[in-house]
Amino acid sequence: MISVGVNWTNCLAELCERFLIDLPPQAQSIIIHTGSSTKLLKSKVSPEQVDLNLLSQRWRGASKAELNRLCLTFNTDTSIELLERSIVMLVKNKPWIYARSYFSKQACDYLSVDLINLGNKFLGELLINKYPDIVRGGFEYAILSPKY
C-alpha cells in the first residue's frame, strides 16, 4: 500500500530536482500528459500489455486541500465525504503509474453506478467515452517506493 506520509507537489520538475532524479523526456511526457494516460500508454505498447490494479475505492473525509481543489467550501463543523479511488497502472506487468482520484458526492451522483461499479476498468476510458463534459483536475506528483 502507498505510504500515507508521501509528500505531494504539483510541479514535476521541482520534485525531480529535489530528489536528484533524471527522468528521460519520454517518461516525462507520459507523466505530464493531459489527455488519457491509458490511451497514450496503449499506443506505446500493445493494449494487452497495459493493465490496472484497483488498490481501493472508498468513502472518506476530505482534507481542506482536497476541498479547495474541488472548489468546495471548508466548514470545520461538518465533514465532507469524498469517494477516493486508488489504482496502479501496469505496463508489461510492472507498476508504472499510481493514481489517486477523488470525487465529491455531486460528481458521484452524476456518474451514478458507472463509477461505483468501475472495478478494475480504466476511469479515463469511462469518462472519455460516456462523460465527455467531465474535465480532469490538476495533477500532484510524488516519488513512491516500487512496492505498492
Side-chain angles (χ1 to χ4, degrees):
M1 196 60 162
I2 303 302
S3 168
V4 176
V6 172
N7 292 317
W8 296 90
T9 179
N10 59 3
C11 181
L12 182 62
E14 173 191 310
L15 186 68
C16 291
E17 186 176 303
R18 186 177 346 142
F19 289 96
L20 302 174
I21 295 171
D22 186 23
L23 267 180
Q26 185 178 15
Q28 283 186 38
S29 69
I30 291 170
I31 292 170
I32 63 173
H33 181 66
T34 57
S36 167
S37 301
T38 304
K39 188 174 181 180
L40 179 65
L41 287 171
K42 285 182 175 183
S43 75
K44 303 280 183 192
V45 297
S46 67
E48 304 81 43
Q49 293 178 312
V50 180
D51 201 8
L52 180 140
N53 284 349
L54 176 64
L55 301 176
S56 70
Q57 184 165 310
R58 64 188 175 96
W59 287 96
R60 64 165 179 79
S63 71
K64 187 174 181 179
E66 290 165 337
L67 293 174
N68 286 337
R69 276 193 163 281
L70 293 171
C71 301
L72 297 173
T73 306
F74 180 73
N75 182 341
T76 56
D77 297 332
T78 60
S79 173
I80 295 179
E81 295 282 304
L82 298 176
L83 180 68
E84 178 184 69
R85 178 179 165 83
S86 299
I87 62 102
V88 170
M89 192 178 297
L90 304 151
V91 177
K92 298 180 181 178
N93 292 320
K94 293 184 181 176
W96 187 240
I97 295 175
Y98 166 78
R100 184 182 63 177
S101 304
Y102 44 91
F103 304 87
S104 67
K105 171 83 170 79
Q106 294 84 359
C108 289
D109 289 345
Y110 178 68
L111 297 170
S112 67
V113 295
D114 291 328
L115 181 60
I116 303 302
N117 295 326
L118 194 56
N120 277 343
K121 298 180 198 129
F122 296 99
L123 175 64
E125 290 178 348
L126 167 71
L127 297 179
I128 289 168
N129 294 331
K130 198 163 180 185
Y131 300 94
D133 56 318
I134 297 272
V135 177
R136 180 169 58 190
F139 288 108
E140 292 179 308
Y141 305 96
I143 302 298
L144 305 176
S145 162
K147 294 181 181 181
Y148 66 90

